Amino acid sequence: MTEEQHSSNHPPLPPTTEEDRFSWLRLLRSRKVGPATFRRLLSEHGSAQNALAALPEMARAAGINGYEICPPGVIEAELKAAQAAKARLVCLGSADFPKALQDVSDAPPLLWAVGDLTMLQKPAIAMVGARNCSSLGARMARGLAKELGDLGHIIVSGLARGIDTSAHMASLETGTIAVMAGGVDVIYPAENTDLAHKIGETGLRLSEQPMGLTPQARHFPRRNRIISGLAQAVVVVEAAAKSGSLITARDALDQGREVLAVPGHPFDARASGCNLLIRDGATLIRSAEDVIEALPKGENLVQTRGEPHAPPTPTCAVALHDQILERLGPSPIAEDQLLRDIAASAGDLGPALVDLELEGRIQRQPGGLLSLAS
């Protein structure tokens, strides 16, 4: 008995009683039952209880000897842990289940959630990138997340170090969802414990994994499909040529989501994945306005919070480029000093520096210093 790769896009009817939810959990936690097999079993047997009764015989027919379904005690312990963590179970097909994720072919049948479930019904943008991101990459992530949040979008990311952390922190006030690779009650990395608690208070933490599960390497790729599945588009801020962020981008393409990428210097390995995505057709992103413009028509009409940000005019962009070039010389200066000298915002300066770097007009020096290209 092997996990199937495809299943119907029509979700099963959600459980309506505690006994049904218990059976759903028990079926999903049984060996060799993944999302696709779960859907098929419910479709064939009509209920999780009937599917559980049929599983041992199905396993024997598939040549698996000594197959045992998940013991009731395991589910009782998981439910107890969920109660302690104030986690709620969100079932595929229910009103609380995110509409964006529902029709994904391998959507998780069950999600544990800690926080505000209304986040799941709002338009969302996913942001992912390098764990060992650059200072400029972190600043770009913060600026994008803050502006997109102000425009009414929920920011979805994976609670990892680097870009994920920057995106979550910048969107705490406007709304953020952290999709976790382990149990929703197991914070990883530990350094993000305070951030995770804040997200649980003002945003939402999600996981398809059992309560108490410590994440392992194989769990992260599975987690990534949920990040992309929740969102209208995935923005990759910094990513190496072989990275989990590119797995998320591939998932997004498979799910019919937009893939957007922030360009980086050709010599910076942390940006090589983004540059490859752009080469292969991903939309180049310099600002939140670029993200909104790239969304499919009809999906970028969100309720703004206060006055919407006016997109920068070409004249303004050129003027900022000229200010940067006038201030820089052969002797390197710190980016923070440049920011103060020209009185620009970090959100405007970051994209302008990327533009000038790609044009070969400025260059970065060790220690985060900037100078005119030699």
Side-chain angles (χ1 to χ4, degrees):
M1 185 171 61
T2 59
E3 167 66 0
E4 294 184 357
Q5 298 302 309
H6 304 284
S7 65
S8 169
N9 281 345
H10 299 290
L13 294 175
T16 56
T17 66
E18 289 298 324
E19 181 182 359
D20 289 338
R21 284 185 281 274
F22 191 97
S23 297
W24 269 44
L25 267 173
R26 195 178 177 197
L27 178 60
L28 189 61
R29 301 299 186 233
S30 293
R31 189 160 56 101
K32 293 188 176 295
V33 177
T37 298
F38 180 94
R39 287 194 184 195
R40 178 172 62 83
L41 289 171
L42 282 192
S43 176
E44 291 177 356
H45 298 281
S47 71
Q49 291 93 330
N50 292 340
L52 285 167
L55 262 181
E57 181 56 38
M58 292 175 63
R60 278 192 294 271
I64 302 173
N65 296 319
Y67 182 89
E68 294 182 0
I69 60 178
C70 179
V74 171
I75 304 306
E76 290 168 358
E78 182 169 356
L79 291 171
K80 185 176 181 180
Q83 184 177 17
K86 298 181 180 179
R88 286 170 288 179
L89 195 61
V90 181
C91 302
L92 182 65
S94 69
D96 289 332
F97 199 87
K99 293 180 175 62
L101 187 61
Q102 187 156 282
D103 286 333
V104 171
S105 62
D106 57 350
L110 299 168
L111 290 166
W112 283 115
V114 175
D116 182 2
L117 289 180
T118 65
M119 297 278 167
L120 295 174
Q121 308 306 327
K122 299 178 181 178
I125 301 291
M127 291 185 61
V128 296
R131 287 175 170 81
N132 62 332
C133 66
S134 67
S135 175
L136 181 59
R139 188 177 298 120
M140 188 70 175
R142 289 194 297 271
L144 285 174
K146 177 64 168 63
E147 291 180 37
L148 289 168
D150 287 341
L151 290 170
H153 289 278
I154 302 300
I155 300 301
V156 183
S157 198
L159 199 63
R161 298 181 181 93
I163 296 299
D164 289 20
T165 296
S166 296
H168 284 309
M169 291 183 68
S171 55
L172 278 172
E173 293 184 2
T174 55
T176 189
I177 298 174
V179 185
M180 303 168 69
V184 76
D185 57 338
V186 179
I187 309 304
Y188 179 87
E191 66 201 55
N192 276 348
T193 298
D194 288 343
L195 174 60
H197 289 321
K198 289 177 182 177
I199 293 173
E201 293 169 359
T202 64
L204 187 67
R205 300 202 314 264
L206 283 181
S207 177
E208 67 176 329
Q209 299 293 352
M211 301 294 298
L213 178 73
T214 300
Q216 299 178 22
R218 68 178 185 274
H219 297 136
F220 289 90
R222 296 294 295 163
R223 180 275 311 269
N224 293 346
R225 85 193 193 284
I226 301 176
I227 293 176
S228 57
L230 288 168
Q232 298 166 292
V234 174
V235 181
V236 186
V237 179
E238 275 186 346
K242 295 182 179 179
S243 67
S245 298
L246 295 197
I247 294 175
T248 309
R250 286 195 295 271
D251 287 338
L253 290 172
D254 290 342
Q255 296 164 347
R257 307 306 195 248
E258 294 294 319
V259 175
L260 320 173
V262 176
H265 194 283
F267 292 160
D268 188 347
R270 289 171 297 197
S272 59
C274 290
N275 293 337
L276 286 172
L277 287 172
I278 293 169
R279 182 200 68 182
D280 293 340
T283 302
L284 186 151
I285 294 301
R286 300 163 300 169
S287 65
E289 286 77 16
D290 287 344
V291 176
I292 299 301
E293 181 66 25
L295 293 179
K297 189 175 180 180
E299 293 188 12
N300 56 359
L301 303 176
V302 297
Q303 176 107 23
T304 59
R305 302 174 188 231
E307 290 298 319
H309 294 270
T313 64
T315 302
C316 292
V318 170
L320 180 56
H321 289 184
D322 289 343
Q323 289 183 59
I324 293 170
L325 294 172
E326 287 174 4
R327 182 65 185 84
L328 292 180
S331 299
I333 66 170
E335 187 174 326
D336 288 346
Q337 181 63 49
L338 176 65
L339 190 67
R340 290 191 292 271
D341 289 347
I342 64 177
S345 70
D348 290 335
L349 182 65
L353 291 176
V354 171
D355 289 343
L356 292 172
E357 279 188 272
L358 291 175
E359 293 170 5
R361 304 179 73 182
I362 68 173
Q363 60 187 18
R364 292 190 176 275
Q365 306 287 351
L369 302 178
L370 297 166
S371 67
L372 287 177
S374 56

